[in-house]
Amino acid sequence: YLPVKRAYEIVSEILPFYEISHKMTPLPIKSFWVRILWPSWLWIIATIFLFYFKPTVLELEEAWWILSAILLIIIVVLRLLDFFNTFYILNNDFIQFKTGSFNTSLFVSKRDKIIEVNVTRNIIQKMLGLASIGTINRAKPVHHAGIDHVSFEMADSFYKWYMERRNEIKVD
């Protein structure tokens, strides 16, 4: 276990050309409700399976609904942790995502290393003014990263930020 501040220092020492920002933007509150209320197919399928087979656990005949409730609580806690651990920032030529629930990962990339971006919106996201953003980075194998349910304004600025890449491309 390594303190986050020390990890950032190590990354800055190893990759001096990359800027890591400590202050990032959290997801909007609308994103919280979308994440919590979005149906969990795992929970639905597991509940149907448990209802059909009605397993006996610790000699309890009706244990299936307790198992279903425990699974639902675990899914909600994971979604809560994921919401509270998701941050992003556009910083000059860099983009930075921090995501995760029990463990978090930090994605930092320069604009010139990104080969493709996408901004998508489903019906619910359109109604709430949210969007999903994603990047594909040049690597072996290519690296996909993104965040769901950011504000549409951020998604729009993300797309414009990427389009500024045209100014950096030099054609001989």
Side-chain angles (χ1 to χ4, degrees):
Y1 294 92
L2 186 66
V4 173
K5 186 176 180 181
R6 179 64 185 135
Y8 285 170
E9 290 171 1
I10 291 172
V11 170
S12 295
E13 291 170 8
I14 294 171
L15 302 167
F17 299 110
Y18 280 78
E19 299 173 16
I20 297 179
S21 178
H22 299 282
K23 295 193 178 198
M24 294 187 282
T25 306
L27 292 173
I29 293 297
K30 294 180 214 174
S31 175
F32 172 79
W33 294 109
V34 170
R35 286 176 183 241
I36 294 298
L37 298 175
W38 200 262
S40 169
W41 293 109
L42 173 67
W43 177 73
I44 291 169
I45 292 168
T47 300
I48 291 169
F49 178 79
L50 288 169
F51 178 74
Y52 182 76
F53 290 106
K54 295 186 180 174
T56 303
V57 178
L58 299 175
E59 299 180 14
L60 292 173
E61 295 281 329
E62 298 297 321
W64 69 270
W65 66 269
I66 296 171
L67 294 172
S68 176
I70 290 170
L71 180 61
L72 180 62
I73 290 169
I74 291 170
I75 289 169
V76 168
V77 167
L78 286 173
R79 288 180 179 190
L80 284 170
L81 289 173
D82 186 49
F83 173 78
F84 289 115
N85 287 320
T86 301
F87 299 92
Y88 58 88
I89 191 166
L90 290 174
N91 190 7
N92 299 327
D93 292 340
F94 296 92
I95 188 164
Q96 186 171 318
F97 300 148
K98 181 180 175 189
T99 58
S101 51
F102 283 124
N103 61 341
T104 59
S105 64
L106 181 67
F107 170 76
V108 181
S109 181
K110 282 183 154 184
R111 181 173 34 216
D112 62 350
K113 300 293 182 194
I114 298 173
I115 57 176
E116 185 179 322
V117 299
N118 60 1
V119 175
T120 58
R121 299 176 78 190
N122 61 32
I123 295 170
I124 304 294
Q125 287 176 326
K126 284 180 184 178
M127 289 189 312
L128 296 174
L130 301 173
S132 296
I133 60 174
T135 65
I136 299 176
N137 273 50
R138 198 173 19 176
K140 288 192 178 184
V142 294
H143 185 266
H144 297 261
I147 298 180
D148 292 328
H149 314 304
V150 298
S151 68
F152 181 71
E153 291 79 20
M154 190 291 180
D156 188 47
S157 62
F158 166 70
Y159 187 74
K160 289 175 183 173
W161 170 84
Y162 180 71
M163 294 309 289
E164 289 176 13
R165 181 174 188 235
R166 290 183 197 172
N167 301 333
E168 299 167 1
I169 297 174
K170 296 176 183 168
V171 178
D172 292 330

mmCIF file of all heavy atoms in Angstrom, residues 30-31 34 38 119-133 147-150 152:
data_model
loop_
_atom_site.group_PDB
_atom_site.id
_atom_site.type_symbol
_atom_site.label_atom_id
_atom_site.label_comp_id
_atom_site.label_asym_id
_atom_site.label_seq_id
_atom_site.Cartn_x
_atom_site.Cartn_y
_atom_site.Cartn_z
ATOM 1 N N LYS A 30 -26.780 14.350 -10.886
ATOM 2 C CA LYS A 30 -27.688 13.588 -11.759
ATOM 3 C C LYS A 30 -27.105 12.223 -12.076
ATOM 4 O O LYS A 30 -27.832 11.242 -12.201
ATOM 5 C CB LYS A 30 -27.934 14.339 -13.067
ATOM 6 C CG LYS A 30 -28.681 15.627 -12.933
ATOM 7 C CD LYS A 30 -28.836 16.234 -14.308
ATOM 8 C CE LYS A 30 -28.794 17.725 -14.243
ATOM 9 N NZ LYS A 30 -28.806 18.337 -15.564
ATOM 10 N N SER A 31 -25.796 12.178 -12.207
ATOM 11 C CA SER A 31 -25.109 10.919 -12.487
ATOM 12 C C SER A 31 -25.297 9.921 -11.344
ATOM 13 O O SER A 31 -25.406 8.717 -11.568
ATOM 14 C CB SER A 31 -23.619 11.176 -12.709
ATOM 15 O OG SER A 31 -22.927 9.972 -12.864
ATOM 16 N N VAL A 34 -28.685 8.257 -11.781
ATOM 17 C CA VAL A 34 -28.683 7.333 -12.921
ATOM 18 C C VAL A 34 -27.960 6.049 -12.541
ATOM 19 O O VAL A 34 -28.428 4.946 -12.835
ATOM 20 C CB VAL A 34 -28.025 7.982 -14.163
ATOM 21 C CG1 VAL A 34 -27.800 6.970 -15.269
ATOM 22 C CG2 VAL A 34 -28.872 9.131 -14.661
ATOM 23 N N TRP A 38 -30.241 2.669 -12.228
ATOM 24 C CA TRP A 38 -30.100 1.866 -13.439
ATOM 25 C C TRP A 38 -30.268 0.398 -13.090
ATOM 26 O O TRP A 38 -29.699 -0.088 -12.128
ATOM 27 C CB TRP A 38 -28.709 2.096 -14.051
ATOM 28 C CG TRP A 38 -28.643 1.722 -15.482
ATOM 29 C CD1 TRP A 38 -28.179 0.547 -15.978
ATOM 30 C CD2 TRP A 38 -29.048 2.504 -16.600
ATOM 31 N NE1 TRP A 38 -28.263 0.552 -17.343
ATOM 32 C CE2 TRP A 38 -28.796 1.745 -17.750
ATOM 33 C CE3 TRP A 38 -29.597 3.766 -16.736
ATOM 34 C CZ2 TRP A 38 -29.082 2.218 -19.023
ATOM 35 C CZ3 TRP A 38 -29.865 4.230 -18.000
ATOM 36 C CH2 TRP A 38 -29.613 3.454 -19.125
ATOM 37 N N VAL A 119 -18.270 10.370 -28.021
ATOM 38 C CA VAL A 119 -19.232 10.914 -27.065
ATOM 39 C C VAL A 119 -20.570 10.285 -27.419
ATOM 40 O O VAL A 119 -21.027 10.399 -28.551
ATOM 41 C CB VAL A 119 -19.315 12.451 -27.152
ATOM 42 C CG1 VAL A 119 -20.398 12.983 -26.233
ATOM 43 C CG2 VAL A 119 -17.975 13.088 -26.824
ATOM 44 N N THR A 120 -21.162 9.574 -26.473
ATOM 45 C CA THR A 120 -22.442 8.910 -26.729
ATOM 46 C C THR A 120 -23.455 9.338 -25.685
ATOM 47 O O THR A 120 -23.102 9.716 -24.567
ATOM 48 C CB THR A 120 -22.301 7.369 -26.691
ATOM 49 O OG1 THR A 120 -21.789 6.976 -25.415
ATOM 50 C CG2 THR A 120 -21.368 6.871 -27.785
ATOM 51 N N ARG A 121 -24.726 9.249 -26.081
ATOM 52 C CA ARG A 121 -25.828 9.591 -25.180
ATOM 53 C C ARG A 121 -26.980 8.633 -25.443
ATOM 54 O O ARG A 121 -27.366 8.431 -26.580
ATOM 55 C CB ARG A 121 -26.307 11.019 -25.428
ATOM 56 C CG ARG A 121 -25.256 12.056 -25.197
ATOM 57 C CD ARG A 121 -25.744 13.419 -25.552
ATOM 58 N NE ARG A 121 -26.596 13.917 -24.472
ATOM 59 C CZ ARG A 121 -27.326 14.998 -24.559
ATOM 60 N NH1 ARG A 121 -27.358 15.699 -25.662
ATOM 61 N NH2 ARG A 121 -28.054 15.384 -23.536
ATOM 62 N N ASN A 122 -27.523 8.057 -24.382
ATOM 63 C CA ASN A 122 -28.749 7.274 -24.535
ATOM 64 C C ASN A 122 -29.938 8.165 -24.178
ATOM 65 O O ASN A 122 -29.773 9.338 -23.851
ATOM 66 C CB ASN A 122 -28.696 5.984 -23.705
ATOM 67 C CG ASN A 122 -28.562 6.242 -22.223
ATOM 68 O OD1 ASN A 122 -29.056 7.226 -21.699
ATOM 69 N ND2 ASN A 122 -27.876 5.343 -21.528
ATOM 70 N N ILE A 123 -31.129 7.621 -24.245
ATOM 71 C CA ILE A 123 -32.342 8.419 -24.027
ATOM 72 C C ILE A 123 -32.369 9.034 -22.629
ATOM 73 O O ILE A 123 -32.690 10.213 -22.472
ATOM 74 C CB ILE A 123 -33.598 7.553 -24.260
ATOM 75 C CG1 ILE A 123 -33.660 7.130 -25.722
ATOM 76 C CG2 ILE A 123 -34.860 8.288 -23.868
ATOM 77 C CD1 ILE A 123 -34.712 6.071 -26.020
ATOM 78 N N ILE A 124 -32.010 8.254 -21.621
ATOM 79 C CA ILE A 124 -32.009 8.758 -20.240
ATOM 80 C C ILE A 124 -30.977 9.868 -20.086
ATOM 81 O O ILE A 124 -31.242 10.905 -19.463
ATOM 82 C CB ILE A 124 -31.727 7.609 -19.246
ATOM 83 C CG1 ILE A 124 -32.725 6.463 -19.408
ATOM 84 C CG2 ILE A 124 -31.680 8.117 -17.817
ATOM 85 C CD1 ILE A 124 -34.139 6.803 -19.047
ATOM 86 N N GLN A 125 -29.798 9.654 -20.660
ATOM 87 C CA GLN A 125 -28.756 10.675 -20.568
ATOM 88 C C GLN A 125 -29.179 11.968 -21.257
ATOM 89 O O GLN A 125 -28.904 13.052 -20.758
ATOM 90 C CB GLN A 125 -27.449 10.160 -21.175
ATOM 91 C CG GLN A 125 -26.762 9.124 -20.324
ATOM 92 C CD GLN A 125 -25.528 8.549 -20.989
ATOM 93 O OE1 GLN A 125 -25.485 8.398 -22.204
ATOM 94 N NE2 GLN A 125 -24.529 8.227 -20.189
ATOM 95 N N LYS A 126 -29.869 11.856 -22.390
ATOM 96 C CA LYS A 126 -30.337 13.059 -23.089
ATOM 97 C C LYS A 126 -31.321 13.837 -22.226
ATOM 98 O O LYS A 126 -31.271 15.059 -22.156
ATOM 99 C CB LYS A 126 -30.995 12.683 -24.421
ATOM 100 C CG LYS A 126 -30.015 12.327 -25.502
ATOM 101 C CD LYS A 126 -30.726 11.979 -26.780
ATOM 102 C CE LYS A 126 -29.735 11.529 -27.833
ATOM 103 N NZ LYS A 126 -30.374 11.135 -29.087
ATOM 104 N N MET A 127 -32.238 13.118 -21.571
ATOM 105 C CA MET A 127 -33.232 13.792 -20.729
ATOM 106 C C MET A 127 -32.583 14.496 -19.539
ATOM 107 O O MET A 127 -33.060 15.537 -19.100
ATOM 108 C CB MET A 127 -34.267 12.782 -20.217
ATOM 109 C CG MET A 127 -35.191 12.285 -21.296
ATOM 110 S SD MET A 127 -36.597 11.296 -20.703
ATOM 111 C CE MET A 127 -35.870 10.128 -19.603
ATOM 112 N N LEU A 128 -31.475 13.941 -19.024
ATOM 113 C CA LEU A 128 -30.836 14.499 -17.839
ATOM 114 C C LEU A 128 -29.637 15.386 -18.154
ATOM 115 O O LEU A 128 -28.991 15.906 -17.230
ATOM 116 C CB LEU A 128 -30.403 13.361 -16.912
ATOM 117 C CG LEU A 128 -31.550 12.529 -16.334
ATOM 118 C CD1 LEU A 128 -31.010 11.353 -15.557
ATOM 119 C CD2 LEU A 128 -32.426 13.397 -15.450
ATOM 120 N N GLY A 129 -29.303 15.561 -19.425
ATOM 121 C CA GLY A 129 -28.172 16.400 -19.789
ATOM 122 C C GLY A 129 -26.834 15.757 -19.493
ATOM 123 O O GLY A 129 -25.877 16.440 -19.114
ATOM 124 N N LEU A 130 -26.756 14.450 -19.664
ATOM 125 C CA LEU A 130 -25.528 13.701 -19.406
ATOM 126 C C LEU A 130 -25.023 13.058 -20.694
ATOM 127 O O LEU A 130 -25.732 13.020 -21.693
ATOM 128 C CB LEU A 130 -25.777 12.612 -18.355
ATOM 129 C CG LEU A 130 -26.275 13.074 -16.997
ATOM 130 C CD1 LEU A 130 -26.641 11.886 -16.129
ATOM 131 C CD2 LEU A 130 -25.232 13.931 -16.309
ATOM 132 N N ALA A 131 -23.808 12.536 -20.649
ATOM 133 C CA ALA A 131 -23.227 11.841 -21.797
ATOM 134 C C ALA A 131 -22.138 10.906 -21.294
ATOM 135 O O ALA A 131 -21.703 10.995 -20.142
ATOM 136 C CB ALA A 131 -22.650 12.833 -22.797
ATOM 137 N N SER A 132 -21.699 10.001 -22.166
ATOM 138 C CA SER A 132 -20.569 9.126 -21.881
ATOM 139 C C SER A 132 -19.441 9.516 -22.820
ATOM 140 O O SER A 132 -19.674 9.768 -24.004
ATOM 141 C CB SER A 132 -20.944 7.663 -22.105
ATOM 142 O OG SER A 132 -21.950 7.269 -21.208
ATOM 143 N N ILE A 133 -18.218 9.572 -22.288
ATOM 144 C CA ILE A 133 -17.069 9.915 -23.114
ATOM 145 C C ILE A 133 -16.098 8.746 -23.098
ATOM 146 O O ILE A 133 -16.022 8.000 -22.130
ATOM 147 C CB ILE A 133 -16.374 11.208 -22.638
ATOM 148 C CG1 ILE A 133 -15.878 11.079 -21.199
ATOM 149 C CG2 ILE A 133 -17.299 12.394 -22.794
ATOM 150 C CD1 ILE A 133 -15.069 12.262 -20.719
ATOM 151 N N ILE A 147 -15.545 7.456 -19.243
ATOM 152 C CA ILE A 147 -16.388 7.683 -18.071
ATOM 153 C C ILE A 147 -17.828 7.825 -18.548
ATOM 154 O O ILE A 147 -18.101 8.498 -19.542
ATOM 155 C CB ILE A 147 -15.973 8.958 -17.311
ATOM 156 C CG1 ILE A 147 -14.552 8.830 -16.782
ATOM 157 C CG2 ILE A 147 -16.918 9.233 -16.166
ATOM 158 C CD1 ILE A 147 -14.084 10.045 -16.020
ATOM 159 N N ASP A 148 -18.734 7.202 -17.818
ATOM 160 C CA ASP A 148 -20.161 7.318 -18.106
ATOM 161 C C ASP A 148 -20.788 8.405 -17.248
ATOM 162 O O ASP A 148 -20.376 8.629 -16.110
ATOM 163 C CB ASP A 148 -20.882 6.000 -17.814
ATOM 164 C CG ASP A 148 -20.475 4.901 -18.771
ATOM 165 O OD1 ASP A 148 -20.173 5.210 -19.940
ATOM 166 O OD2 ASP A 148 -20.459 3.726 -18.341
ATOM 167 N N HIS A 149 -21.795 9.054 -17.802
ATOM 168 C CA HIS A 149 -22.658 9.992 -17.088
ATOM 169 C C HIS A 149 -21.955 11.273 -16.641
ATOM 170 O O HIS A 149 -22.173 11.751 -15.529
ATOM 171 C CB HIS A 149 -23.343 9.327 -15.902
ATOM 172 C CG HIS A 149 -23.946 7.991 -16.209
ATOM 173 N ND1 HIS A 149 -24.866 7.806 -17.215
ATOM 174 C CD2 HIS A 149 -23.739 6.770 -15.660
ATOM 175 C CE1 HIS A 149 -25.200 6.528 -17.254
ATOM 176 N NE2 HIS A 149 -24.527 5.883 -16.332
ATOM 177 N N VAL A 150 -21.116 11.848 -17.513
ATOM 178 C CA VAL A 150 -20.571 13.184 -17.244
ATOM 179 C C VAL A 150 -21.569 14.199 -17.779
ATOM 180 O O VAL A 150 -22.467 13.859 -18.548
ATOM 181 C CB VAL A 150 -19.187 13.380 -17.901
ATOM 182 C CG1 VAL A 150 -18.173 12.412 -17.344
ATOM 183 C CG2 VAL A 150 -19.261 13.287 -19.408
ATOM 184 N N PHE A 152 -23.201 17.008 -20.100
ATOM 185 C CA PHE A 152 -23.090 17.191 -21.542
ATOM 186 C C PHE A 152 -22.134 18.329 -21.874
ATOM 187 O O PHE A 152 -21.425 18.286 -22.879
ATOM 188 C CB PHE A 152 -24.462 17.438 -22.176
ATOM 189 C CG PHE A 152 -24.383 17.605 -23.657
ATOM 190 C CD1 PHE A 152 -24.100 16.529 -24.470
ATOM 191 C CD2 PHE A 152 -24.572 18.851 -24.238
ATOM 192 C CE1 PHE A 152 -23.998 16.684 -25.839
ATOM 193 C CE2 PHE A 152 -24.479 19.018 -25.605
ATOM 194 C CZ PHE A 152 -24.191 17.928 -26.411
#
